[in-house]
Amino acid sequence: LKRLGVDKLCLHLDGWGKRGYDNLHPDILPPCEAAGGWEGLARLRKICHDLGYFFGIHDQYRDYYYDCESFDIENAARGTNGKYEECDFWYGGRQTVLCAKQAVDYVRRNYNELTLHDCKPDNAYLDVFSVVELDECDNPAHRMTREECAKARAACFREVASRGIVVQSEELVDWALPYVDFVHWLPFALDKGYEKGNAI
């Protein structure tokens, strides 16, 4: 790309986690060994910087996979009916939703490790935070309203930004505007298929 004359580029790297794309969140470290592990990720970052490119990663702190190392159902967002939202259609399989009040501790832990291993990104995409509905949680240990969810997600954005990292997310919504530098925009509001409930 550099030889072809691309002088400005922002790399968005997906699938770099321990078991690849959309797997084991929030316990995605160490980076995928088959793709180079810590050394390979640090080398890719250095190559980007040597070329004058931005090195960025896809990241995720809402989907909470049952097979992640630190999984504890007590950290999940619990409904008022005592049940937990579940799905299994992403690559990582069975998951619930991490209570947003728990997320910032994982963000801090992971970005400390990335920095320690010379893999700190220039930009980080915190997936779904600015596109999916705000969550509620009825666990008495960390009960959360939708307003508190917005504040908790904002705390994650601020934690990333405090490290000098450009913050990205998915769609832009009002509450996220002060915290997100740019979005991977999909105009849901203008999608006629979405209005009819059959967006692709």
Side-chain angles (χ1 to χ4, degrees):
L1 288 171
K2 192 72 170 182
R3 284 195 299 270
L4 291 172
V6 178
D7 290 323
K8 295 182 180 180
L9 184 137
C10 180
L11 176 75
H12 173 94
L13 183 66
D14 292 277
W16 60 273
K18 187 182 338 188
R19 202 171 67 196
Y21 183 69
D22 273 358
N23 266 267
L24 301 177
H25 291 287
D27 297 330
I28 53 173
L29 300 175
C32 180
E33 283 300 323
W38 283 118
E39 184 181 323
L41 193 62
R43 189 168 62 249
L44 178 59
R45 176 182 181 266
K46 183 179 185 306
I47 289 169
C48 284
H49 287 175
D50 288 347
L51 295 172
Y53 292 167
F54 286 101
F55 168 69
I57 59 172
H58 167 280
D59 208 356
Q60 162 74 261
Y61 295 93
R62 183 178 185 262
D63 297 350
Y64 191 30
Y65 288 91
Y66 280 87
D67 59 350
C68 75
E69 189 176 321
S70 66
F71 182 82
D72 182 347
I73 197 64
E74 287 300 310
N75 289 330
R78 188 170 78 187
T80 54
N81 61 1
K83 296 182 179 179
Y84 299 90
E85 183 180 328
E86 255 191 34
C87 78
D88 64 358
F89 51 82
W90 302 123
Y91 291 109
R94 188 170 172 239
Q95 63 173 277
T96 185
V97 172
L98 179 67
C99 177
K101 283 189 173 181
Q102 312 302 309
V104 73
D105 291 333
Y106 285 108
V107 172
R108 190 173 295 115
R109 179 200 68 181
N110 288 350
Y111 285 81
N112 282 344
E113 282 294 303
L114 287 165
T115 301
L116 184 65
H117 288 87
D118 294 323
C119 295
K120 186 184 92 167
D122 302 304
N123 47 283
Y125 174 78
L126 299 193
D127 199 3
V128 311
F129 267 3
S130 66
V131 72
V132 298
E133 66 279 0
L134 294 167
D135 300 307
E136 294 177 304
C137 180
D138 197 40
N139 185 324
H142 45 82
R143 194 167 271 123
M144 180 179 69
T145 64
R146 287 189 294 271
E147 181 180 1
E148 289 172 324
C149 178
K151 290 177 180 175
R153 290 182 187 179
C156 294
F157 289 144
R158 286 197 310 270
E159 176 63 31
V160 171
S162 74
R163 297 162 183 268
I165 300 170
V166 174
V167 178
Q168 309 166 57
S169 198
E170 202 153 344
E171 181 100 16
L172 190 59
V173 291
D174 55 359
W175 70 263
L177 184 59
Y179 312 106
V180 176
D181 297 302
F182 67 96
V183 295
H184 293 232
W185 188 58
L186 180 64
F188 284 140
L190 305 176
D191 187 320
K192 298 302 179 190
Y194 181 79
E195 289 175 8
K196 296 174 184 172
N198 58 2
I200 54 171

